Amino acid sequence: MTIGADSRYDFDFAVAGGGPAGSSSAIALAQRGHSVILFERETFPRFHIGESLLSTANDAFAALGVTRQIEAAGFPAKWGARLYTHDGQTGRYVDFTCVREVTKPQTYQVCRQEFDRILLERAREVGVDVREACNVIACEFAPDAAVLEVASRADAEPGRVRVRALVDATGRGGLLARKFNLRTEEPLLANIAIYSHYTDVPRLGGPRPDDIRLIARNDAGWFWLIPISKELTSVGVVLPKALYNRLANGSAEETLNSTIFDTPLVAELMREARREWPVRVEKDFSYSASAYAGDRWILSGDAGSFLDPVFSTGVTIAMESGIEAAAELHRALARNDFSALSFEAFSRRQRKRFETFRRFVVGFYTPQFRDVFFSPEPPKLIFRSVATILAGKWNASLWTRFLNQLFFGIISIQKRFKITRPVFQRDRDAGYPEEISSKGSLAKGA
């Protein structure tokens, strides 16, 4: 493999991974005038589970110059989320239009094959050297460079690439997280998702038919129903591991079908549905990193951390962290300082965003959180502050953060005094992880 000219650096920067995080990093670096090479091990288009975005994704689209392409793609419009209990008797709407701290509330449910293609093509458009079917198999970091070993399906011999710094956007594969032993699994989120794509799933009535539906089972599990095109709906169930072990019934397909059947509202919605894809399973998908940057490297998107899909944070965080990684490397080049110490502010920001969303995600797997969250008439001002965070505004105003503290205070009270009607099963068979405090730390009891 021959790459670039024979000079001190083949390119200013390299990006490993062509998903939303990697494409966003590469685009934002190229927009600043840097030479960038991106390695993607697959050949696009490639399958990826359909995705529901947050409102703040619109800011990323504007920064990357893809707003027009996203609007033209015809993705289903998302204005919020409809919450339902297993029997459809209790629930409410998380309405992003009530949020005052986002640029634009309406966002999208996207087919990832097309969405990722748009971002990768934008990277090519702004001058990124995109290499598909190329995998970074090793990397070393010298005082003055990052040196990558790259394997291409087209070449018999791997090639070497020398750059100023590397953005690792290799997702769950975690090129550098594994190299440096950075990854920490989330024991309270040891969950398993079983999902597929279906046609003939009825859409919502009214002016917002394509909003995501989040349906809580009577136990610790829950379903998503996400329209990802005019015909297809992504349908999946997420079960904590202990609950999965109790409910697993033969194959993944049989387990998915049985959980659909014993969740009354989902069973009714899926009565005429036809499965169009094989059933897929994802396990243990929540983790964080002890560091998000080091000497001449930065982690972006899922390569650093990922949370349970319950609040659909993955792609939006990936794009935001990719853009932030590019800004950080641009500053590092101006200072000629690519040290881990110089990237500390970047790491703190990634960790703070992860912890903000983690508090909600871990809370969701407790019955008292669900009692309050699915209540049809929660305190409006407090719930608007919750919707602000769930729309993607993790760094919201001080007032919004204070109101969110009150929300978690209400959850703590609900645990002891039942200020709203208990709705969800609370015995051991419900399969909740170890109970957590309002601050998200492990507590005794279940």
Side-chain angles (χ1 to χ4, degrees):
M1 177 187 295
T2 302
I3 301 177
D6 184 16
S7 59
R8 188 180 177 197
Y9 299 107
D10 299 306
F11 295 85
D12 289 329
F13 301 107
V15 177
S23 291
S24 297
S25 296
I27 293 165
L29 284 166
Q31 287 172 327
R32 289 172 167 84
H34 303 299
S35 60
V36 185
I37 186 165
L38 182 151
F39 300 106
E40 165 55 44
R41 67 179 182 179
E42 304 292 339
T43 300
F44 280 29
R46 49 94 169 99
F47 172 82
H48 202 292
I49 183 172
E51 199 78 35
S52 185
L53 305 183
L54 306 183
S55 298
T56 51
N58 291 301
D59 297 328
F61 297 155
L64 298 171
V66 296
T67 299
R68 178 183 56 79
Q69 295 94 314
I70 296 296
E71 290 174 348
F75 296 127
K78 173 185 175 183
W79 295 88
R82 308 292 179 100
L83 310 178
Y84 299 95
T85 53
H86 67 288
D87 56 7
Q89 298 301 306
T90 302
R92 66 178 319 278
Y93 187 35
V94 179
D95 187 356
F96 289 167
T97 63
C98 78
V99 175
R100 296 177 178 175
E101 298 183 39
V102 299
T103 305
K104 177 185 174 184
Q106 182 258 311
T107 182
Y108 300 95
Q109 326 275 19
V110 300
C111 174
R112 282 290 302 276
Q113 291 101 307
E114 177 61 13
F115 180 80
D116 290 8
R117 184 198 66 78
I118 289 172
L119 291 179
L120 199 63
E121 286 304 311
R122 174 60 176 165
R124 286 191 173 98
E125 182 181 294
V126 296
V128 176
D129 188 335
V130 174
R131 304 291 179 93
E132 297 182 59
C134 286
N135 191 28
V136 178
I137 57 176
C139 53
E140 298 298 332
F141 299 94
D144 62 342
V147 182
L148 316 180
E149 188 172 349
V150 182
S152 168
R153 294 179 190 173
D155 293 335
E157 296 295 328
R160 293 173 69 84
V161 183
R162 183 181 173 90
V163 294
R164 300 177 189 273
L166 169 68
V167 177
D168 179 3
T170 55
R172 291 179 64 186
L175 174 70
L176 297 184
R178 299 188 189 281
K179 177 181 175 68
F180 296 125
N181 194 27
L182 304 175
R183 189 158 290 179
T184 301
E185 304 294 334
E186 286 286 334
L188 294 178
L189 297 172
N191 299 333
I192 297 169
I194 313 169
Y195 60 92
S196 190
H197 292 171
Y198 295 81
T199 52
D200 298 326
V201 179
R203 300 292 165 96
L204 289 161
R208 300 175 181 177
D210 294 325
D211 281 342
I212 184 174
R213 280 172 284 194
L214 194 159
I215 301 169
R217 288 171 50 89
N218 189 38
D219 51 32
W222 63 276
F223 276 89
W224 76 69
L225 281 79
I226 305 174
I228 57 173
S229 71
K230 291 180 179 179
E231 298 81 22
L232 286 177
T233 300
S234 174
V235 178
V237 65
V238 178
L239 304 169
K241 188 173 290 185
L243 182 60
Y244 172 84
N245 290 338
R246 184 169 68 82
L247 296 179
N249 179 24
S251 68
E253 179 181 350
E254 290 168 329
T255 301
L256 179 57
N257 288 340
S258 66
T259 54
I260 290 172
F261 179 77
D262 66 15
T263 309
L265 179 56
V266 181
E268 174 61 25
L269 291 170
M270 299 293 288
R271 188 160 44 89
E272 304 294 333
R274 185 173 68 253
R275 184 166 59 83
E276 303 292 347
W277 291 81
V279 174
R280 290 176 166 87
V281 178
E282 298 282 348
K283 299 182 179 181
D284 298 333
F285 38 64
S286 295
Y287 53 83
S288 58
S290 58
Y292 290 84
D295 294 339
R296 295 191 179 270
W297 59 264
I298 280 183
L299 307 184
S300 180
D302 296 357
S305 56
F306 182 76
L307 276 167
D308 185 275
V310 64
F311 295 123
S312 305
T313 57
V315 167
T316 303
I317 288 178
M319 290 191 296
E320 289 177 358
S321 67
I323 293 168
E324 292 161 5
E328 195 67 28
L329 291 177
H330 179 71
R331 286 191 291 269
L333 182 56
R335 298 188 302 256
N336 193 28
D337 183 359
F338 291 92
S339 67
L341 184 63
S342 74
F343 295 144
E344 281 190 346
F346 173 86
S347 285
R348 285 195 300 270
R349 183 177 178 87
Q350 309 313 305
R351 191 170 294 110
K352 177 63 175 177
R353 178 166 43 213
F354 176 85
E355 290 172 351
T356 299
F357 287 123
R358 179 188 180 275
R359 188 180 189 189
F360 283 89
V361 172
V362 174
F364 184 83
Y365 290 95
T366 65
Q368 61 269 15
F369 183 102
R370 294 190 184 200
D371 288 342
V372 175
F373 191 65
F374 284 82
S375 172
E377 295 183 357
K380 290 185 178 179
L381 188 61
I382 290 177
F383 206 83
R384 186 171 70 191
S385 75
V386 172
T388 298
I389 303 298
L390 299 184
K393 191 65 176 178
W394 64 274
N395 53 347
S397 66
L398 182 62
W399 175 242
T400 294
R401 297 199 303 272
F402 169 73
L403 291 175
N404 273 276
Q405 286 292 108
L406 292 182
F407 171 73
F408 282 98
I410 291 170
I411 291 169
S412 294
I413 296 171
Q414 173 70 9
K415 178 182 176 182
R416 293 170 174 81
F417 299 107
K418 309 300 183 287
I419 59 175
T420 190
R421 181 173 69 90
V423 174
F424 296 94
Q425 180 183 347
R426 279 163 158 75
D427 58 32
R428 186 169 297 276
D429 284 345
Y432 289 103
E434 286 285 324
E435 197 164 81
I436 57 163
S437 72
S438 63
K439 293 184 178 180
S441 59
L442 198 61
K444 294 181 179 180

